[in-house]
Amino acid sequence: MAPSKKITINPLSRIEGHGKVTIHLDENGDVCESRFHVTQFRGYERFCQGRPFEEMPVLTQRICGICPVSHQLASAKACDAILGVVVPPTARRLRELLHMGQFIQSHALHFFHLASPDLLLGWDADPGRRNVVGLMAAFPDLAMKGIRLRKFGQEIIKALGGKKIHPAFAVPGGVMNPLKDEDRGNLLSGFSDAYASTHAALGIVKEWLGAHGDEVAQFANFPSIYAGLVDEKGCPALYDGNMRMRGHDGGILAEFEPAQYLGFIAEHVEPWSYLKFPVFKPLGYPTGCYRVGPLGRLNVVDAMGTFQAQAAFDDYRQRTANGLKGGSLFFHYARLIELLYCLEKAETLLEDERICGRDIRISSNPAHREGVGVIEAPRGTLIHHYRVDKYGILEAVNLIVATGHNNLAMNRSVDLVARACIRGGEVREGMLNRIEGAIRCYDPCLSCSTHAVGQMPLVIDIFSSTGARVKTLGST
């Protein structure tokens, strides 16, 4: 049956980057198909070819102003692999500390600025006030907690890399400079307030989830595979670990060294999105749908490994024991548990005086033609894979970012929420916001996600001042 009406949500709000949703209704006004489209094209995988591999930590962090640290670290790890070196212990500690700062600022930004307006002001609130400005007017104390918490994460980044965005720090073989004793002391003084703000946010999420149990159970709740890095004890390994893929029933489907990812992850393309669709290779597309990020990580780990995060994780497991671990709204809950974890890890790193050591970099000539660097970015697993010639010049680049891993899951979430909200052709603004909210659960970074054209045609139309098309570049 051919669709009789199409609804387009464009642009999507309160996400990073540009995307849209199209919803097709049948002749009865019910949803027959919904799609999440990523509409921007970047091209990093292509234009980085021909560059010296040492430039990649600086080049790739320019992919995004929200995720620069994540790309810098994944890139530096890939470069370490090409050099065939293990960075000095102090350099690793400093990289991990930078990584924790990134998680703290990113998770705080998403919850307080992007997600909480839906939860605290309501899905159906006036769009003119359903934003961070409206949140500040209604909950000024909470909004200030969010601002201070994000600032604290950014101060960690600045203390190491000289600035809060696009820091110059991680390089092949280590880091650029040591941490000053004075900066270490200043950062240690900020944890008390950061913990208080995180616990306040965690209390809000738990209260909201408890008060909206029916909605939580229905909102984009579906079984999937979950993926994330774990250490030898099954705890989160945000900087370095094995990749674990766990089924919805709790069984471990695979656990492997990240450099072996091509044996377990395949990339599918569709003609209606610039964003690729990674899937669990043994199951293929679309059965091999998996989710990464906070929800994925909490569903693959056995424990958290830090005191406060473990207590929150135990409570999370009780709340998700009845089949809710596939509920997309639990991303918000999981994100705040991770925030606690990252604060504890950062504090532990800073309490160790060795963090101010001076042995921070090792030099070497390239030893390998390929290097894979994998970390857990705030939004999920981030893969940088480089191949170089004998001179260290890049011949091939493959990037799989968290938003890409989640692409198939985001499309399923959009479709489920659209089918639940839109019936008989009735469409209200609050319904459409719920559909956007399904995407916001994943905190996608669309600027990070699209780097190769795949099979989607890139067509450029050139028009004259009168509006007439004078030339078309590319082909359909």
Side-chain angles (χ1 to χ4, degrees):
M1 183 180 299
S4 60
K5 184 177 182 181
K6 182 174 79 170
I7 300 170
T8 301
I9 306 174
N10 187 20
L12 299 173
S13 61
R14 282 183 277 136
I15 62 170
E16 202 290 319
H18 303 285
K20 68 178 182 179
V21 169
T22 56
I23 305 164
H24 296 272
L25 306 183
D26 62 23
E27 61 182 13
N28 298 317
D30 296 331
V31 175
C32 61
E33 182 181 60
S34 303
R35 287 175 174 173
F36 167 51
H37 308 259
V38 178
T39 57
Q40 63 185 122
F41 168 67
R42 305 278 287 182
Y44 269 80
E45 287 180 331
R46 180 64 63 183
F47 68 65
C48 285
Q49 292 179 21
R51 308 299 304 176
F53 78 94
E54 307 100 302
E55 295 181 356
M56 293 300 280
V58 174
L59 282 176
T60 58
Q61 75 166 342
R62 259 60 184 190
I63 290 172
C64 178
I66 302 296
C67 316
V69 167
S70 301
H71 286 291
Q72 184 180 112
L73 290 175
S75 180
K77 288 183 68 178
C79 294
D80 296 340
I82 290 173
L83 292 175
V85 301
V86 176
V87 302
T90 297
R92 176 180 171 124
R93 294 186 191 101
L94 289 169
R95 284 186 181 183
E96 286 194 73
L97 180 59
L98 185 78
H99 197 30
M100 295 305 99
Q102 166 74 353
F103 263 83
I104 293 165
Q105 72 86 15
S106 180
H107 279 1
L109 171 67
H110 183 263
F111 177 75
F112 288 96
H113 294 184
L114 306 181
S116 64
D118 292 327
L119 306 183
L120 297 178
L121 302 177
W123 297 111
D124 300 297
D126 179 358
R129 60 180 291 269
R130 195 182 58 224
N131 49 50
V132 66
V133 176
L135 185 74
M136 293 181 70
F139 303 95
D141 291 341
L142 183 68
M144 288 306 300
K145 289 180 186 296
I147 291 171
R148 291 196 302 269
L149 183 57
R150 186 183 184 218
K151 180 182 178 182
F152 179 63
Q154 290 178 313
E155 290 297 336
I156 294 175
I157 297 170
K158 182 180 178 181
L160 297 170
K163 52 185 178 178
K164 298 176 181 179
I165 300 175
H166 300 315
F169 190 64
V171 292
V175 298
M176 289 186 65
N177 49 264
L179 176 65
K180 298 177 182 177
D181 287 324
E182 178 184 357
D183 288 334
R184 171 175 172 256
N186 291 337
L187 292 174
L188 280 169
S189 68
F191 282 93
S192 177
D193 184 64
Y195 283 127
S197 297
T198 303
H199 279 293
L202 195 55
I204 289 170
V205 164
K206 290 195 290 186
E207 182 180 355
W208 191 91
L209 292 172
H212 298 81
D214 291 341
E215 180 178 8
V216 171
Q218 297 297 321
F219 191 96
N221 185 6
F222 60 96
S224 72
I225 300 167
Y226 306 97
L229 300 183
V230 298
D231 65 15
E232 65 279 0
K233 297 180 180 179
C235 296
L238 301 182
Y239 176 77
D240 195 30
N242 283 337
M243 189 165 185
R244 174 182 287 179
M245 307 193 83
R246 174 168 269 163
H248 195 73
D249 62 358
I252 296 176
L253 301 177
E255 189 165 328
F256 53 92
E257 293 183 4
Q260 301 171 347
Y261 77 97
L262 287 174
F264 300 89
I265 296 173
E267 296 182 79
H268 178 82
V269 295
E270 291 286 355
W272 40 267
S273 179
Y274 282 121
L275 181 52
K276 294 176 285 188
F277 293 79
V279 292
F280 182 50
K281 195 171 185 177
L283 297 181
Y285 180 88
T287 309
C289 172
Y290 63 93
R291 288 189 265 188
V292 300
L295 185 72
R297 288 187 287 255
L298 259 64
N299 285 341
V300 300
V301 300
D302 302 317
M304 293 302 292
T306 62
F307 180 75
Q308 295 185 54
Q310 183 62 46
F313 180 63
D314 291 340
D315 185 51
Y316 165 86
R317 282 200 158 177
Q318 290 181 0
R319 291 170 182 265
T320 58
N322 59 348
L324 292 177
K325 66 181 178 182
S328 297
L329 286 170
F330 274 90
F331 265 102
H332 302 310
Y333 188 10
R335 194 169 284 114
L336 295 176
I337 296 173
E338 283 195 339
L339 219 170
L340 269 182
Y341 170 84
C342 292
L343 286 169
E344 291 180 283
K345 290 290 287 186
E347 187 176 31
T348 299
L349 287 165
L350 284 164
E351 286 175 340
D352 187 341
E353 294 182 355
R354 293 176 296 176
I355 197 75
C356 292
R358 313 293 293 186
D359 183 15
I360 58 173
R361 188 176 182 183
I362 184 170
S363 298
S364 177
N365 293 320
H368 304 291
R369 297 288 288 270
E370 287 192 68
V372 178
V374 181
I375 65 168
E376 286 294 328
R379 291 154 184 83
T381 311
L382 173 61
I383 300 172
H384 279 230
H385 184 181
Y386 308 151
R387 188 176 72 244
V388 299
D389 65 13
K390 63 181 180 179
Y391 303 106
I393 302 301
L394 286 160
E395 295 181 328
V397 175
N398 189 40
L399 308 175
I400 306 180
V401 306
T403 300
H405 292 295
N406 283 328
N407 192 17
L408 184 52
M410 287 190 291
N411 272 274
R412 288 191 178 179
S413 297
V414 163
D415 193 58
L416 285 170
V417 175
R419 291 175 186 273
C421 288
I422 301 175
R423 300 287 180 84
E426 181 185 4
V427 180
R428 298 191 306 273
E429 194 280 333
M431 295 176 177
L432 301 182
N433 184 47
R434 286 171 171 82
I435 296 168
E436 290 189 65
I439 298 171
R440 283 193 287 268
C441 289
Y442 295 84
D443 188 19
C445 184
L446 306 187
S447 294
C448 289
S449 63
T450 53
H451 303 292
V453 177
Q455 294 180 1
M456 184 172 182
L458 180 62
V459 179
I460 302 174
D461 289 324
I462 301 175
F463 295 87
S464 70
S465 59
T466 62
R469 183 186 292 110
V470 295
K471 191 173 185 180
T472 297
L473 305 177
S475 64
T476 59

